[in-house]
Amino acid sequence: MPGIRMVLVEFLHLFALAGLAIAQPLYDLLGQNPEFFVSHKAGPGLIIGMVFVLSIGVALVLVLLELAAWLVGERVRTILHLVFVFGLAFLTVLPPVQRLVDGSDLLIVGFALLIGFLFSVLYVRGQAFRLFLTVLSPVVVAFPLWFLLFTPVGRLVMPDAIEPKAPIAINNPIPVVLVVLDEFNITALLDAGGRIDPVRFPNFADLAAQSYWFPNAVATYVETATAVSGILTGRQPKAGVRLNPTAADHPQNLFTMLGDRYALNVVESVTRLCPQTLCQEEAAAGSSLPYKSFFADLVAIFLHIIAPPQLGKQLPPLHAQWTGFGEELLRKGILGQNESSIHPDLAVGSDSSRESRITSFLSQIEQTSSPVLHFLHVILPHTRYEYLVSGQQYFNRERFIPAGWIDGPGWGGRWIGKEPLILTAYYQYLQQIGYVDQFLGKLRRLLETADLFDKALIIVTADHGVSFQRGLSMREVQKGNESDILKVPMFVKLPGQREGSIRERLVSGIDVLPTIADVLGLKIPKAIDGFSMLDNENPPRDEIDFLGVGKIKLQDLKRFPRLKWQVDHFGEHTALDRLVPKGPASNLIGQELGDLDIGHSSSLKYINENPHQLDHVNLESRYLPALFSGHIIGTGRRNLPIAISLNGRVWATTQASLWDGKRNYFSVLFPPSAFQSGENTVRVFLIGDHDTNLTPIPLASQGALSGEETMIRLHHEASSQSKLVFSGEQEIVVDAGEKHLTGNLDRVLLSAESIVVEGWAADLEKNQPAEEVFIFTNGKLTARAEVGISRQDVVEAHQQKSLFHSGFRIKIPVKVLKPYPSDIRFIVVSLSNRAWEFSFSPEQLDFIRSTLEEKNFSQ
C-alpha cells in the first residue's frame, strides 16, 4: 500500500497534466479573443467559473474517479492513474505534433499516441520524470493567473469603473434607428447600371429612394467586434491598441450618450457597449441558456485545437461571432443530443440566435411618446449561408461552409474551388441578402405602424464586406479584392425625407455617430475621429487611413470591379425566388424535359450527399431542401457539364469539378419556386455536344463506392510516345515538346515526411491555367493535385490576368518513394485534355535522391 503522500503527489500530477493538456491551450486562444466572452454575455462569475472548471474541475473529476477505483483496490487505481496520464499526455502533444508532422490524420494520431505511451513508460520507470512533473505543478495556479491578469480577458473580470458623466444636451430628440449588418458586399445589390436592383431587392431600393445613399462608404475594420465598436464610438482602431468591445473600454458611445434621455431597444451580437444599467433586458434575454451554449462552444473550440486536419474539417468552423458552433456538435450527437430525434423544422435552427435577435428587436418597435433608439447588429448576410428569400432555411448537416471555400489563417480563409462552386456560394449569398431585404421590409412596416418611419433618423450600414474571388481571401484585404471587402452599404434617411439621392463623398463607419449627433443637435464631449456625413460646410475627405491596409483614396473606390461578373452570371431585374445562375448551356434553364432530346442512361453514376432530402417536402415548413450536392463516379473525364432537373423541369446547369477529393463534385441551389408539396423528383444529366442533347446519369446505389473509381496509368507506346489512360475509356497523348502547355517546376523541398513540388502550368493557346498535375513513379500514379494557386508573377510575365490561378503544390509522401524510383515522370493536363511532361532539373533529382538516402540511413 503506497503512502498517502505518494498518492497525493500523483493526484497533483493529474492537475499539472490537465493544465497543460486542456486549460493552457484554451487560455492561450481565448486570452487573445475576449470577443468569445462578450458574445456570450459572460460576466465575471461565468468566466471565473470556466477557469475553475478548466484548472481544477477536470482534474478533480479524474481524482474522484481514482478514489472510487481505490475502493476496489490499489492496483485498479494505479492502472486507472496510468490511463489518465497517458490520455493527458496524448492530448498535450497532439497539437504540436500536427505542426511538426505533415501527413494523414492516422499518422498524426499514431505519432501522438506513441509519444503519449513513451511518456507513460518514463513516468512509471523514471523517478526523475515524476519529480519534473511535481516541479511543474505550480502551473495549476500560474496558467489561470496569467489568463486573468495579463490578457484582455482580465478587463472583463475586473473592468474599470465607468465614470459618471454629466447629462448631454440634445436639442432635437428624434427617434433613431440604426441597423448594422454583417459581411455585406454592396455590389450584390446592384443592377448593370450601378443602381439598387428594384426587382431583386425591393426594400433596399425603396430605402434608397427615400434616403441618401453613399456608394463610397468604407468599413471601419475587417474584424467584426472592432468594426462595430468603431461605428458606435466614432473612433478609428489604432495599431497596437487592443480594446475589448465593452462599455468599460469604450465609455463614450452611442448608448451612453443617449441613455439618459432615450428609451433603448438594443440588440448587440458580438459587442457589449451598452452598459447593463441601460440595457438590462437585452442582457438578460441574451443569456437565457448561458451555460449550455457557453460550454458547448468551449468544447467545440477545444476540439478545433486538438483535431487533426481532416477530422477538423468535419467540425463547425470558428467564426467572428464566436457563438453557435457548439450547437452543431449538440445536433450531431457529439455532445449528447441525438440528431435523429430532431424534426427537420427544428433542425434548421442551426443559427437560431440570428433569427431570435431579429425577432427580439422587431418585437420592441411600438408607438411611444418618448424618444427611442432602436439598434440592431445582426450577423447577416454573414456565413453560414442557410436562408432563402422566402424566409425558409435549407440545412445540410454535413457542410458547415460553402463548397469551394477553405478555412485558413487570417480572416475568412480563401476560395480555392472552381468557378461553378463559387457561383453556387454567391447564389446562396444573394438568397441570404434577399432574406435581409425581407427583414428590412418588415422593419419599415413596423416603423410606419408605430408612426416612427417619417419621424426617425434611419441608418442602415454594415461592418465590412466579403469577397468571392477564386484564389483570394474571403475577408482579408488582398490585391484584387479591396473593393469587395472595404466598401459597405450606407443609407441615411432623415426625418421627413421623401426623395433620395446619391452622394459620392468618401465616408466611413466612424462617421455614423457624428452624423447622429449632427441630426440630434448634441455635442460629443470627447474628440472622435469621424465626421458628419451631412456636413456641407467643410470639404469632404479624399482619403481614409485604414488600419492594416494604408491610405484609401476616393478614386480607388469609385467603381464596382465585380459588377460585370455578377451581371454576366446572374443577370439583373430577376426576382430571387426564380433566379438561377448562368452555367453551361444556360438556355436549358426552365425547359421541360419532354421538350428535350433525352438519350439512354449513361454508364456514369452520381452520389447524392443527402439522398432522402426531397422525399417529403412541406412548402409551408421552415425547412426547404434547396441545396443539392453530390459527385459523379465511374469516369476519368473531368469538368463534366451537367443539367439538373426538379419535377420535370431543368432548374440548374453547372460543371462538375475537383473538390474535397472528389473528381467531379457539384453543388447547386434550387430557387424556392422549383419545389412542389410532397415528393420532389430530381434527375442529373450529362450535357452533350448539342445543348438540347441530354444523357441521364443514374443515382448510384446505397452501397456504391463513394470515392474515386477512376484508375489512371501511364502507358508507354513502342514509338516512345506516352499516353495517360483513364479506366480504359479515355486516353490523352503526352506531348513530347512544348506545343500548347508550358510552366515550370520552381522548386522541390522537404516538408516533414513529404517531398513537395511547387511550380506553375498553363495552356497559353487557351490563355488559361492547366487543370491537374500527376506524378508517376516507375509507371505508377503516386500523387496528383489540382492547379489553382495564385501566381501574380505569371500574370505579369505573360500579361494575361486569366493565368492568375496557374500555380500548383503537390506533395509526395517519402514512404511511397522508397527506395529511390528509377523513373519519375511529372505530367500536366489541361482543361482541353492536352498533356505535357515537365522535366525535373538534375539538381532537383539529386535533392530527391539525397533526401531519400538520408531518410533510409536514418532508419
Side-chain angles (χ1 to χ4, degrees), residues 328-504:
E328 303 290 355
L329 299 181
L330 288 168
R331 187 167 295 105
K332 289 172 71 69
I334 297 175
L335 297 183
Q337 186 171 350
N338 186 355
E339 183 181 6
S340 63
S341 64
I342 302 176
H343 188 275
D345 280 3
L346 302 177
V348 294
S350 60
D351 202 356
S352 58
S353 61
R354 300 196 286 190
E355 193 170 346
S356 65
R357 284 188 168 101
I358 288 177
T359 302
S360 173
F361 172 73
L362 293 177
S363 68
Q364 299 300 313
I365 297 176
E366 55 189 21
Q367 194 167 9
T368 177
S369 58
S370 60
V372 60
L373 166 65
H374 295 288
F375 171 82
L376 170 69
H377 169 225
V378 63
I379 312 294
L380 284 169
H382 191 291
T383 52
R384 149 184 187 165
Y385 302 141
E386 59 179 334
Y387 289 103
L388 299 168
V389 65
S390 62
Q392 294 165 299
Q393 291 173 266
Y394 54 93
F395 178 65
N396 185 336
R397 65 181 180 273
E398 299 299 334
R399 189 166 295 285
F400 303 104
I401 59 177
W405 178 81
I406 186 170
D407 200 1
W411 290 291
R414 64 188 178 101
W415 295 101
I416 64 170
K418 292 293 181 66
E419 185 85 340
L421 295 179
I422 296 176
L423 283 176
T424 296
Y426 193 72
Y427 183 33
Q428 293 178 261
Y429 182 69
L430 291 177
Q431 286 284 340
Q432 196 130 302
I433 293 180
Y435 175 77
V436 174
D437 184 79
Q438 294 302 307
F439 151 72
L440 209 59
K442 293 178 184 177
L443 173 61
R444 175 169 183 155
R445 289 189 291 273
L446 285 170
L447 291 173
E448 289 175 338
T449 301
D451 196 26
L452 292 175
F453 184 78
D454 287 335
K455 298 177 181 178
L457 167 65
I458 301 174
I459 300 178
V460 176
T461 186
D463 59 347
H464 53 73
V466 63
S467 181
F468 290 81
Q469 297 191 52
R470 186 171 181 234
L472 299 181
S473 174
M474 198 175 190
R475 276 181 48 196
E476 184 176 1
V477 180
Q478 297 173 334
K479 183 177 177 59
N481 71 1
E482 302 94 336
S483 181
D484 297 340
I485 295 172
L486 295 177
K487 296 182 76 167
V488 294
M490 183 70 75
F491 301 96
V492 179
K493 191 202 83 66
L494 299 179
Q497 185 173 357
R498 294 288 188 273
E499 297 293 328
S501 67
I502 298 175
R503 296 201 168 185
E504 298 285 351

Side-chain angles (χ1 to χ4, degrees), residues 220-221 226-227 230 235-239 241 510 529 545 547:
T220 305
Y221 193 53
T226 303
R235 301 295 301 271
Q236 190 79 17
K238 303 293 191 298
V241 178
I510 60 173
D529 302 314
D545 194 4
L547 180 62

Side-chain angles (χ1 to χ4, degrees), residues 69-379:
W70 206 1
L71 297 176
V72 178
E74 168 56 22
R75 181 176 178 81
V76 176
R77 186 203 70 84
T78 301
I79 292 174
L80 187 61
H81 179 74
L82 291 178
V83 170
F84 289 158
V85 169
F86 167 74
L88 292 173
F90 166 71
L91 291 178
T92 301
V93 301
L94 189 54
V97 165
Q98 293 180 54
R99 294 189 289 269
L100 295 174
V101 176
D102 187 6
S104 66
D105 285 6
L106 186 61
L107 177 63
I108 291 170
V109 172
F111 196 52
L113 287 171
L114 177 61
I115 295 176
F117 175 75
L118 293 176
F119 184 96
S120 304
V121 171
L122 290 173
Y123 180 82
V124 171
R125 298 185 177 180
Q127 189 62 34
F129 209 71
R130 287 171 171 255
L131 180 61
F132 175 70
L133 271 183
T134 305
V135 172
L136 279 182
S137 60
V139 300
V140 177
V141 176
F143 286 159
L145 286 179
W146 169 82
F147 177 70
L148 294 173
L149 298 178
F150 299 102
T151 73
V153 176
R155 297 201 303 276
L156 299 178
V157 178
M158 297 169 286
D160 296 332
I162 301 177
E163 298 180 3
K165 59 178 179 60
I168 299 174
I170 302 176
N171 298 323
N172 184 28
I174 61 169
V176 177
V177 179
L178 174 56
V179 175
V180 179
L181 304 170
D182 203 293
E183 210 169 79
F184 202 120
N185 186 329
I186 184 65
T187 302
L189 293 178
L190 307 182
D191 61 16
R195 300 300 180 100
I196 309 297
D197 192 320
V199 178
R200 195 166 291 174
F201 304 109
N203 296 297
F204 274 105
D206 287 347
L207 177 63
Q210 282 189 254
S211 66
Y212 297 121
W213 173 33
F214 296 85
N216 297 314
V218 178
T220 305
Y221 193 53
V222 293
E223 188 271 322
T224 298
T226 303
V228 176
S229 298
I231 291 171
L232 293 172
T233 64
R235 301 295 301 271
Q236 190 79 17
K238 303 293 191 298
V241 178
R242 178 68 183 271
L243 298 175
N244 290 334
T246 62
D249 281 14
H250 300 279
Q252 178 179 276
N253 63 64
L254 178 63
F255 310 126
T256 57
M257 289 195 299
L258 300 188
D260 290 334
R261 291 280 305 275
Y262 275 63
L264 302 181
N265 171 26
V266 174
V267 177
E268 298 182 82
S269 291
V270 298
T271 58
R272 205 163 68 199
L273 268 68
C274 189
Q276 289 192 15
T277 54
L278 299 175
C279 296
Q280 291 179 343
E281 292 184 6
E282 198 278 325
S287 57
S288 57
L289 288 172
Y291 303 110
K292 181 179 179 180
S293 62
F294 178 87
F295 283 102
D297 288 342
L298 198 65
V299 171
I301 291 173
F302 182 69
L303 291 177
H304 268 280
I305 292 173
I306 64 171
Q310 294 304 314
L311 181 58
K313 291 180 180 180
Q314 306 304 315
L315 298 173
L318 306 182
H319 43 68
Q321 64 203 77
W322 283 107
T323 59
F325 27 78
E327 291 182 26
E328 303 290 355
L329 299 181
L330 288 168
R331 187 167 295 105
K332 289 172 71 69
I334 297 175
L335 297 183
Q337 186 171 350
N338 186 355
E339 183 181 6
S340 63
S341 64
I342 302 176
H343 188 275
D345 280 3
L346 302 177
V348 294
S350 60
D351 202 356
S352 58
S353 61
R354 300 196 286 190
E355 193 170 346
S356 65
R357 284 188 168 101
I358 288 177
T359 302
S360 173
F361 172 73
L362 293 177
S363 68
Q364 299 300 313
I365 297 176
E366 55 189 21
Q367 194 167 9
T368 177
S369 58
S370 60
V372 60
L373 166 65
H374 295 288
F375 171 82
L376 170 69
H377 169 225
V378 63
I379 312 294

Side-chain angles (χ1 to χ4, degrees), residues 619-632:
L619 297 181
E620 303 302 319
S621 167
R622 291 175 55 211
Y623 171 68
L624 196 65
L627 188 65
F628 179 68
S629 304
H631 63 282
I632 299 168

Side-chain angles (χ1 to χ4, degrees), residues 714 716 776-779 820-825 837:
L714 186 62
H716 301 283
F776 293 87
T777 55
N778 296 333
Y820 181 72
S822 59
D823 181 47
I824 302 179
R825 308 284 296 276
E837 181 176 357

